[in-house]
Amino acid sequence: MKVEADQVFANNQAAAAVGATGAVIKMKGDKVGVFYGSKQALFDVDLDIYERQVTALIGPSGCGKSTFLRCLNRMNDTIDICRVTGKITLDSEDIYDPAIDVVELRARVGMVFQKPNPFPKSIYENVAYGPRIHGLVKSKADLDNLVEQSLRGAGLWEEAKDRLQEPGTGLSGGQQQRLCIARAIAVAPEVILMDEPCSALDPIATAKVEELIDELRENYTIVIVTHSMQQAARVSQRTAMFHLGELVEVDDTKTIFTNPSEKRTQDYITGRFG
Amino acid sequence: MTTSVSAIVIIVLALTALGYILGRQRALAVSDREKTKLHSLPGYYGQTVALYVAVPAFLLLGVWLFVQPIAIESQISSDIPQSIVDQSGAKSLVMADVRRIANGLDLLVGSGGFTETDLANMRADFSNVRSRLASVGVALGSDVQPAVFEAAKSYRNIGKAGSLIRNIAVLVTALALGAWSWFRITPRMRARNTSETFIKSLLMGSSLIAILTTLGIIGSLLFESIHFFRIYPARDFFFSATWNPQFRGGSDLGILPLLWGTLYVSFVALALAVPLGLMIAIYLAEYAGSSLRSFAKPAIEMLAGIPTIVYGLFALITVGPFIRDWIAQPTGLGSSSSSVMTAGLVMGIMLIPFISSLSDDIINAVPQSMRDGSYGLGATQSETIRKVIMPAALPGIVGAFLLAASRAIGETMIVVMGAGASARLSVNPFEAMTTVTVKIVSQLTGDTEFASPETLVAFALGLTLFVFTLGLNIIALYIVRKYREQYE
């Protein structure tokens, strides 16, 4: 693991350096707290998400990392009893401001879920769904083009181009997840949130999705929740460690994995708890 | 005869309880003596003995009760001289007399002052049987023929002998099998599995009863319909546009006006119920909070619990006159308070809960991940419902629709009271029309034997309706089954 990690760090070195010097803050969490009814699930989380970087959220189950992720595009709004305190900004705009249109926010901050959830429609319709509801294209040709670009962007074009009219649910698990990524990038979001995107996939499909995440970094800001230390090390530039609803520490991925400042982080990444 | 059946049932039940206790005791005693552990809980051994006592005995009793009357009937009826049959017209009429006299003789003996020996010596040609029987409340149409009287006497005797043999056979079966299974008990006997087998056959038997009943109903419908089509041309039945039954004969029995009425009323009903029901379902499933939902859903389902005759009253007294006075008469479209519109609208209200409740369940069954996926792309709630949830739930909703449609097609009471009973082919929804079910009722009410086309047509109508609703149900089942595969 050590050797492998070192290699990965070498690969990520360049990006990390840029992040340290000239990275722009895309999203900013300021004392974010989340309550489910009277139970508090997240305590005063201050976390910055840098533009065109992959930020990994790690921590044991129930530590609040998915909860934080879902705050970033207000998916928690769909849960009746959920209440968010503190402030989250996207390009310095408060996303919980009543004046903000949550529908528009979610178009700017897309999401890929833990279990692949393609709609029971054709592959084409799955990708065309977002552009259609947001009116992003004028003509059928534009839409065709956008669908192709999105599928290419998700690395699914070669596999799917001959079966665009077949149901998306007929694809394999890994293909379905890439279809969901294609669906998300079709609406041209600025940020993509990924909630354990590989937890339902086999190692080969996982490798493909991870490769894709690395490519997507060029154009998108990505936040990924993962249970796999290796995955966090492989794909992310920054890592945030959560425990019991608190942010334990956040730093460059390399620092977190080689020289964490908190003992809890060290224990978790070496497998001593969690 | 009935008293002796209930007596034997009680005796067998008592034996069953006894078998349970003895079986359980023996299991405990045997395991204690042999110092081995029982394979099953002691109760299972008791249950095994009880089952061996009860099940074969009751089966035998059931079969016997079914077969004995048939056997006796065929024997007696072959003994009746042909002359008597000719006299009264049909053998079945003679046999009905025989049964009534036999029954009367039972009562006579039961009322006292008349012994079995008196009865054996009684002869129809010397004593007045008719007045004797009238004294115990059995009225006969004419004086009793000696041969019929003798037949009744032997009917009684054979029946009594048969019942005695039956009782003995049932008791012997119960005791013998009970004792056999009791002696068989050893600690290693797998009593638990016996009980399992019994449960399985019990469940299987229950479903078999439902299936056999269905087959029986179809069979009788088919049989009588074939009978009908032998005396009335099928071509006229299916393609004639006139429905005009005459009990003197020479009627026109075309199904088209009835079928038209049925479809028209159902169409109006569904046109009201489907959009309303669907919107209710969407509101309940997607928008309503849990507290409102828990109140509103049962409240709407209450509509389904109202007897259709009450809906009929509502149609007759409120909706019908309202439509006539405010819509039909001012526009000059009709002057009758019974109309397709009245029946259709009221039936539509009745159908709302069928659509809303089923669709609500189906919409709820669409996985939350579909909604999340859509919201995550920035879709609004109604976009999500329109473009993701409804298409995903559509097959199930079609199933609900077809179920409601078969219900509408089969409805009778609301139609009689709302749309009237005159068969008519018309496109004006404010005119009175009628449906297949209503005509089935009106053809069968009144005292006629089932031999004329006017009564037998009811079966052909019923069969047509059955084929219709069966077809709809099969389509519904097919769609629902296809829907189930979607997410797995």
Side-chain angles (χ1 to χ4, degrees):
Chain A
M1 147 113 207
K2 184 85 172 72
V3 179
E4 205 181 299
D6 276 345
Q7 271 174 346
V8 173
F9 296 145
N11 293 344
N12 289 345
Q13 202 69 48
V18 173
T21 54
V24 181
I25 293 174
K26 184 71 182 169
M27 295 190 85
K28 189 176 179 64
D30 189 10
K31 296 219 179 312
V32 178
V34 175
F35 296 82
Y36 290 115
S38 58
K39 190 177 159 286
Q40 191 164 5
L42 213 56
F43 301 86
D44 294 337
V45 173
D46 296 315
L47 180 60
D48 297 342
I49 313 286
Y50 291 116
E51 191 161 36
R52 291 171 203 246
Q53 281 198 6
V54 178
T55 305
L57 311 182
I58 61 169
S61 294
C63 68
K65 55 193 187 307
S66 286
T67 300
F68 180 76
L69 188 78
R70 290 170 67 94
C71 288
L72 294 178
N73 70 343
R74 293 182 55 179
M75 278 304 278
N76 282 334
D77 289 15
T78 59
I79 301 166
D80 285 339
I81 56 165
C82 182
R83 191 161 55 83
V84 179
T85 60
K87 190 174 168 188
I88 300 174
T89 58
L90 171 65
D91 292 338
S92 328
E93 264 181 289
D94 183 358
I95 63 168
Y96 280 88
D97 189 321
I100 277 278
D101 177 11
V102 64
V103 169
E104 193 204 321
L105 169 75
R106 289 189 191 137
R108 289 173 67 190
V109 184
M111 189 152 191
V112 175
F113 296 85
Q114 184 170 357
K115 206 173 143 226
N117 59 346
F119 303 130
K121 300 171 183 289
S122 70
I123 294 172
Y124 183 93
E125 287 298 321
N126 261 286
V127 182
Y129 179 80
R132 279 215 178 107
I133 57 172
H134 293 296
L136 298 183
V137 284
K138 296 248 174 343
S139 67
K140 177 82 170 66
D142 284 355
L143 185 61
D144 288 347
N145 196 22
L146 181 56
V147 169
E148 181 179 341
Q149 289 312 314
S150 307
L151 285 170
R152 277 192 197 283
L156 195 61
W157 177 250
E158 290 305 322
E159 292 152 78
K161 65 179 176 192
D162 296 325
R163 44 192 294 202
L164 288 177
Q165 297 311 322
E166 285 173 36
T169 42
L171 295 169
S172 74
Q175 289 172 328
Q176 285 189 16
Q177 195 61 298
R178 279 181 284 146
L179 177 62
C180 292
I181 293 174
R183 189 172 72 180
I185 61 182
V187 293
E190 297 157 38
V191 183
I192 301 176
L193 309 176
M194 298 188 174
D195 191 356
E196 300 180 41
C198 300
S199 64
L201 306 184
D202 69 32
I204 296 167
T206 300
K208 279 196 177 161
V209 172
E210 285 180 2
E211 208 177 300
L212 176 62
I213 292 172
D214 207 45
E215 286 166 20
L216 291 173
R217 177 159 59 85
E218 282 179 31
N219 299 310
Y220 305 95
T221 304
I222 294 171
V223 185
I224 178 171
V225 165
T226 178
H227 273 141
S228 152
M229 294 311 117
Q230 289 93 327
Q231 185 170 68
R234 279 193 297 262
V235 302
S236 73
Q237 284 74 52
R238 275 165 62 83
T239 298
M241 163 74 191
F242 283 74
H243 187 227
L244 297 176
E246 287 171 20
L247 178 65
V248 177
E249 65 172 309
V250 55
D251 214 325
D252 287 346
T253 299
K254 185 185 172 188
T255 318
I256 290 278
F257 278 90
T258 52
N259 188 22
S261 45
E262 288 273 337
K263 185 163 183 313
R264 276 188 288 175
T265 311
Q266 171 123 36
D267 287 348
Y268 181 65
I269 60 179
T270 51
R272 240 166 274 164
F273 81 89
Chain B
M1 195 161 122
T2 41
T3 46
S4 76
V5 171
S6 53
I8 198 89
V9 168
I10 290 170
I11 292 173
V12 173
L13 283 178
L15 285 176
T16 308
L18 189 68
Y20 178 84
I21 296 165
L22 291 178
R24 195 173 178 282
Q25 276 174 356
R26 179 169 161 89
L28 286 172
V30 169
S31 81
D32 215 37
R33 193 177 61 228
E34 295 183 9
K35 307 251 181 284
T36 45
K37 213 169 145 286
L38 284 172
H39 170 270
S40 316
L41 292 172
Y44 280 117
Y45 293 91
Q47 210 180 52
T48 305
V49 177
L51 287 175
Y52 273 102
V53 172
V55 176
F58 281 127
L59 276 182
L60 181 68
L61 184 63
V63 171
W64 200 297
L65 283 177
F66 185 71
V67 172
Q68 178 173 316
I70 300 174
I72 295 178
E73 198 105 331
S74 71
Q75 192 180 345
I76 299 287
S77 72
S78 63
D79 288 351
I80 293 175
Q82 191 56 37
S83 60
I84 293 178
V85 175
D86 292 341
Q87 221 171 352
S88 33
K91 199 165 231 178
S92 60
L93 295 178
V94 181
M95 281 312 295
D97 265 354
V98 168
R99 274 194 300 273
R100 273 162 82 184
I101 295 166
N103 197 16
L105 293 177
D106 278 341
L107 288 172
L108 206 55
V109 174
S111 69
F114 200 80
T115 61
E116 292 287 345
T117 20
D118 291 341
L119 185 59
N121 297 329
M122 188 171 164
R123 299 252 319 259
D125 31 358
F126 296 137
S127 47
N128 191 344
V129 180
R130 193 176 169 196
S131 64
R132 283 266 190 151
L133 288 180
S135 71
V136 288
V138 177
L140 292 171
S142 58
D143 273 333
V144 179
Q145 308 251 11
V148 174
F149 187 64
E150 290 309 314
K153 279 208 286 190
S154 64
Y155 181 92
R156 249 190 109 235
N157 288 336
I158 299 173
K160 273 172 73 178
S163 301
L164 187 67
I165 299 170
R166 178 198 67 209
N167 289 355
I168 292 170
V170 168
L171 280 182
V172 167
T173 312
L175 286 173
L177 287 174
W180 178 72
S181 65
W182 186 79
F183 277 116
R184 243 167 41 116
I185 291 177
T186 61
R188 242 172 300 148
M189 183 181 144
R190 296 175 185 172
R192 233 176 142 186
N193 304 18
T194 315
S195 148
E196 202 58 30
T197 314
F198 168 70
I199 298 278
K200 201 174 109 189
S201 356
L202 185 73
L203 298 178
M204 210 163 72
S206 311
S207 45
L208 211 64
I209 287 176
I211 294 169
L212 288 179
T213 314
T214 315
L215 288 181
I217 291 172
I218 297 173
S220 78
L221 267 181
L222 259 178
F223 185 76
E224 298 288 355
S225 298
I226 290 169
H227 198 160
F228 169 71
F229 286 123
R230 280 218 192 97
I231 50 180
Y232 191 86
R235 232 184 86 91
D236 288 358
F237 175 71
F238 285 115
F239 299 109
S240 158
T242 324
W243 175 267
N244 184 22
Q246 304 284 331
F247 280 95
R248 301 182 299 275
S251 359
D252 287 313
L253 300 171
I255 195 175
L256 282 182
L258 308 183
L259 218 49
W260 169 250
T262 303
L263 294 179
Y264 204 172
V265 173
S266 305
F267 170 78
V268 174
L270 291 170
L272 174 74
V274 170
L276 256 177
L278 263 185
M279 286 192 272
I280 291 172
I282 290 172
Y283 176 71
L284 285 182
E286 297 291 321
Y287 289 92
S290 56
S291 56
L292 176 67
R293 187 167 186 269
S294 64
F295 160 76
K297 204 177 177 203
I300 292 168
E301 277 165 3
M302 230 157 66
L303 279 177
I306 298 175
T308 54
I309 188 86
V310 176
Y311 280 108
L313 283 173
F314 179 55
L316 187 70
I317 292 166
T318 317
V319 181
F322 178 85
I323 288 181
R324 180 193 58 200
D325 297 344
W326 292 92
I327 303 172
Q329 272 180 344
T331 54
L333 285 171
S335 57
S336 155
S337 71
S338 305
S339 68
V340 167
M341 207 36 117
T342 309
L345 290 182
V346 174
M347 201 193 282
I349 292 167
M350 179 195 78
L351 292 179
I352 285 174
F354 285 83
I355 303 271
S356 72
S357 205
L358 277 170
S359 307
D360 174 58
D361 291 343
I362 290 155
I363 291 172
N364 266 318
V366 174
Q368 181 62 31
S369 66
M370 295 292 132
R371 295 180 183 86
D372 284 347
S374 177
Y375 295 147
L377 289 170
T380 63
Q381 201 163 4
S382 72
E383 283 165 351
T384 304
I385 291 164
R386 228 165 350 108
K387 302 210 165 147
V388 176
I389 295 180
M390 289 320 268
L394 190 67
I397 290 170
V398 172
F401 167 78
L402 291 176
L403 228 59
S406 16
R407 182 71 210 258
I409 289 173
E411 178 52 44
T412 313
M413 229 53 226
I414 295 177
V415 182
V416 183
M417 300 173 84
S422 50
R424 188 175 298 160
L425 260 173
S426 159
V427 286
N428 182 356
F430 297 102
E431 269 191 72
M433 281 181 217
T434 198
T435 63
V436 176
T437 48
V438 172
K439 281 303 161 195
I440 293 178
V441 176
S442 60
Q443 288 313 102
L444 289 187
T445 23
D447 193 42
T448 11
E449 85 274 33
F450 288 102
S452 66
E454 285 74 22
T455 44
L456 284 173
V457 72
F459 292 98
L461 289 175
L463 187 68
T464 315
L465 208 59
F466 175 75
V467 169
F468 242 81
T469 45
L470 183 75
L472 278 177
N473 275 314
I474 288 173
I475 297 171
L477 262 180
Y478 170 77
I479 290 172
V480 168
R481 198 165 294 163
K482 210 173 155 194
Y483 164 70
R484 266 196 208 127
E485 293 169 355
Q486 199 134 29
Y487 303 114
E488 306 308 332

